[in-house]
Amino acid sequence: MRPLSLWGNKSSLRTAFTTIAAGAALMGITLTAAAADQTDTSIILKNPGSLKWEKTIPELGDRSPEYAILHSDPNTKLTTLMFRTPIPVHIPAHTHDLAETHVILVGGTHTFDSKGVRYNIENGGFFRAPGGVVHEAWPPAGSQTLNILESGWAVNWLREGPTVADADKYPPKEPQGN
């Protein structure tokens, strides 16, 4: 199986960066006082070939969803990651201490459930869950997202994180009502 690549050509690269810029604009990203006080002014550049992909369900081998950390701020803990899912997968119910944001880059409609409410986010769409909000997700096969975690790469699972049993799962017909 050939790995999913958002970076296949100039057109898809342009679309990806346009989507990321639009998502950032939608989020109203501003510098916080902590971020403004940072003394590190280094530019960070990560091209696709330099990303280090980690499997989220290693037992699935090449079928496992993967993430790559783009940046993690040691002072604010704000972490930016990229996720890709070669298969449909269920991300079980969880929370984060602070807000989590998703920008759907490619791969079709992502489904999120929170408090019994269903959210369907299409390519180029934006989703933000405030800290402490219980939610679960069903990214489709071939998806890639940009995720921003305000409390760092930390997940508070209500039961357990994704396992082999969550592979090839689609959202239920009705929201689950956490």
Side-chain angles (χ1 to χ4, degrees):
M1 173 183 256
R2 192 172 136 226
L4 170 69
S5 177
L6 171 62
W7 314 100
N9 59 49
K10 289 182 183 177
S11 175
S12 62
L13 181 61
R14 188 177 310 111
T15 300
F17 281 112
T18 301
T19 303
I20 292 168
L26 283 171
M27 288 183 285
I29 293 178
T30 58
L31 290 176
T32 63
D37 290 339
Q38 292 179 0
T39 56
D40 184 4
T41 58
S42 303
I43 292 175
I44 298 170
L45 171 68
K46 291 194 177 180
N47 281 310
S50 68
L51 297 181
K52 182 179 182 230
W53 292 97
E54 300 287 337
K55 297 190 179 313
T56 61
I57 309 173
E59 299 85 0
L60 291 175
D62 290 344
R63 298 179 69 236
S64 177
E66 298 176 305
Y67 69 92
I69 296 176
L70 303 175
H71 181 259
S72 185
D73 185 297
N75 297 322
T76 65
K77 304 226 185 310
L78 184 78
T79 301
T80 306
L81 335 134
M82 193 83 76
F83 269 96
R84 62 185 182 188
T85 58
I87 61 170
V89 65
H90 173 235
I91 309 301
H94 64 281
T95 66
H96 302 276
D97 292 342
L98 300 175
E100 173 187 32
T101 299
H102 293 254
V103 177
I104 312 305
L105 301 175
V106 295
T109 301
H110 285 60
T111 301
F112 291 83
D113 278 350
S114 178
K115 299 178 184 175
V117 177
R118 171 76 43 97
Y119 301 90
N120 291 312
I121 301 90
E122 300 171 3
N123 286 343
F126 165 86
F127 173 83
R128 181 176 187 274
V133 171
V134 175
H135 59 284
E136 57 188 313
W138 290 266
S143 73
Q144 192 158 7
T145 61
L146 176 74
N147 298 44
I148 301 167
L149 300 164
E150 294 180 17
S151 53
W153 186 212
V155 181
N156 306 314
W157 300 105
L158 267 59
R159 292 169 199 82
E160 64 178 337
T163 68
V164 171
D166 293 300
D168 297 310
K169 296 293 183 188
Y170 296 90
K173 299 285 184 208
E174 298 295 323
Q176 298 298 293
N178 296 317

